[in-house]
Amino acid sequence: MNITRENIDALNAVLKVDIAKEDYSDKVEKILSDYRKSANIPGFRKGHVPMTMVKKQYGKAVLVDEVNKLLQDALNKYLTEEKLDVLGNPLPKAQDDLDWDADSFTFEFELGLAPEFEVELKSKDPITHYSIVADDKMIDDQVEHIRKQYGKLISQDAVTKDSEIVGVFVNEEKEINNKATFTLDKVKSKTAEKALIGAKVGDVVTLKTKGLFKDDHDLMSFLKVAHDDAHELDVDVTFTIEEINTRELADLDQELFDKLFGPGVVSSVTELKAKIKEDSEKQFGQQGDQKFINDVTEYLVENTKFDLPAAFLQKWMQTAGEDPLDADQAKEEYENSEKSMRYQLIEGKIIEKHNLQVTFDDLKDFAKEMIKVQMAQFGQTDPQDKELEDIAARILSNKDEVKRLSEQLMSQKLLELYKKEANREEKEITYDDFVKEFYS
């Protein structure tokens, strides 16, 4: 067998694979001999079928199968030994005149080669890493929410602005029939608010769904309608009031503190607010980090210039998925995924250059920390190491979990690298301002 490569340009090449009879004949003969021993053909005893008949019936199929296996093994070995960094998979060139009755064969494969490029992490202009803080208003609102959540429900005779209302929404045409609990501060429509205030248990109030709540997600939840329907829903619904309550705020005492954080962890309102601030900012930190990663990624993709073998990749995409694509569909798919492909190549270059690795011990420690966080959410704040080891071992026995955790851990390593190597500036921002600026 002989393999030669012709470089068309820096991003495209053609592999020529010559297969001679001696490369496959022994294997084909052995398989046909085994077939002969077990073949059941009418008129012949088992194991006594003439070889000419076995070759006539099975010979070409066995030959094609063995040659294809040889090709696959040879291609994989060649790409590994030559250290060729290819995109997609080798594409066989069409050969309409292939003669399987010949003794030797020649096959050609198109290759898409990964481009050569350098990555510069330090941008000319600094990339902002936002440190999101919980301000006094947010902390006070959270304290108020906790006091309501753990407060006592007190029945009311009529709806007021502070009421918590329980009732059933109905519209027969749209098949709406759902029991819901909500407070008036969620209601956007002034007409609806006016109709509800003063209403009593047993009253039936007619409300318009259009603009009823401040958030369409509340409409989805309270009326049990689909996401797509919620935005356009404009019908009348009846709302039958079943309960009217107000909440007496819970006292900020040791009993409440212990319910929230465990015995003795918090012992004053000052400590409660400090704990809320600490826990909130720990969660906000993940959002600030993700924004920073997104911005670094955007910078790298926009400023790391290289060409891709676009024509090859579009041709490869036509047959790479579960469903074949035509040329126009493949072009659209390529255009939609080009940015992602570029970043994967950039990321791979960064990982290689900085020798970022995920070892099994790294994965095990990462899994154990993840388990500890999850257990703490259910009140288990001091698990034994043996218990953590056993749970981690079960998780890491699952290939899909190993892949998922490896990707998460590599993302962490990349974040640490970006924080260290990128041109970064820190900026403190409140959570509300962060949301308004980037997600409104």
Side-chain angles (χ1 to χ4, degrees), residues 241-272:
I241 299 174
E242 295 186 349
E243 292 181 39
I244 306 168
N245 301 299
T246 187
R247 282 197 180 260
E248 182 182 273
L249 298 182
D251 292 331
L252 293 173
D253 56 17
Q254 194 61 49
E255 181 182 356
L256 178 61
F257 301 153
D258 290 348
K259 279 182 184 177
L260 292 170
F261 303 107
V265 175
V266 167
S267 56
S268 68
V269 174
T270 301
E271 290 181 7
L272 169 66

Side-chain angles (χ1 to χ4, degrees), residues 116-151:
E116 291 292 333
F117 60 92
E118 294 297 325
V119 179
E120 178 54 62
L121 270 175
K122 284 199 181 296
S123 56
K124 180 180 178 182
D125 297 321
I127 298 172
T128 303
H129 179 253
Y130 290 94
S131 177
I132 307 171
V133 297
D135 60 7
D136 291 342
K137 181 181 182 303
M138 169 173 277
I139 294 169
D140 289 341
D141 288 346
Q142 187 62 25
V143 171
E144 181 81 1
H145 174 74
I146 289 170
R147 294 186 71 189
K148 285 182 178 178
Q149 184 180 356
Y150 287 88

